[in-house]
């Protein structure tokens, strides 16, 4: 009985039996891991893209400051033009002396 239980063909049968039982579960785990890897790669890409966008926004602050100063300058120039037009509209009336009778 001991010799028959330890015969190589019986050992191979036991290995085959073990593989047949555990292989579907291992294949399912492999499939799950591949799916999780794809999801994590997508998430990593999304995070890297967001970080890149934020870095570009912080780098563009110089341009926004320049735009802000140009807009303030343009508003000041417009105010000066409006004030000059207001004075030129009032000035010709003051230059004409009233008619004396």
């Amino acid at each position: 009985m001991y010799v028959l239980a330890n015969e190589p063909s019986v050992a191979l049968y036991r290995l085959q039996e073990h593989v047949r039982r555990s292989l579907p579960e291992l294949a399912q785990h492999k499939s799950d891991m591949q799916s999780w890897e794809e999801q994590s790669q997508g998430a990593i890409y999304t995070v890297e893209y967001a970080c890149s966008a934020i870095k570009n926004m912080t780098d563009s602050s110089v341009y926004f400051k320049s735009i802000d100063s140009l807009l303030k300058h343009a508003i000041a120039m417009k105010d000066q033009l409006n004030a000059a037009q207001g004075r030129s509209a009032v000035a010709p009336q003051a230059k004409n002396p009233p008619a004396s009778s």
Side-chain angles (χ1 to χ4, degrees):
M1 190 64 143
Y2 179 77
V3 172
L4 288 176
N6 290 320
E7 187 177 334
S9 62
V10 174
L12 291 174
Y13 173 75
R14 296 286 182 208
L15 281 171
Q16 179 186 10
E17 195 175 69
H18 171 71
V19 168
R20 191 176 302 157
R21 270 187 276 144
S22 62
L23 187 62
E25 186 178 343
L26 288 173
Q28 182 62 40
H29 286 303
K30 180 182 177 184
S31 173
D32 291 344
M33 292 299 287
Q34 287 174 336
S35 172
W36 291 341
E37 180 185 15
E38 289 173 6
Q39 290 176 355
S40 63
Q41 289 296 327
I44 289 170
Y45 175 77
T46 302
V47 168
E48 287 176 350
Y49 184 74
C51 289
S52 172
I54 289 171
K55 184 182 180 303
N56 289 337
M57 288 174 69
T58 57
D59 290 345
S60 66
S61 66
V62 173
Y63 302 110
F64 286 119
K65 288 177 183 175
S66 174
I67 291 169
D68 183 49
S69 67
L70 289 171
L71 284 172
K72 287 179 181 176
H73 183 69
I75 290 170
M77 293 292 285
K78 178 65 175 162
D79 289 342
Q80 286 179 355
L81 286 173
N82 287 343
Q85 286 177 350
R87 278 183 290 196
S88 66
V90 172
Q93 293 172 358
K95 286 184 181 178
N96 295 335
S100 47
S101 349

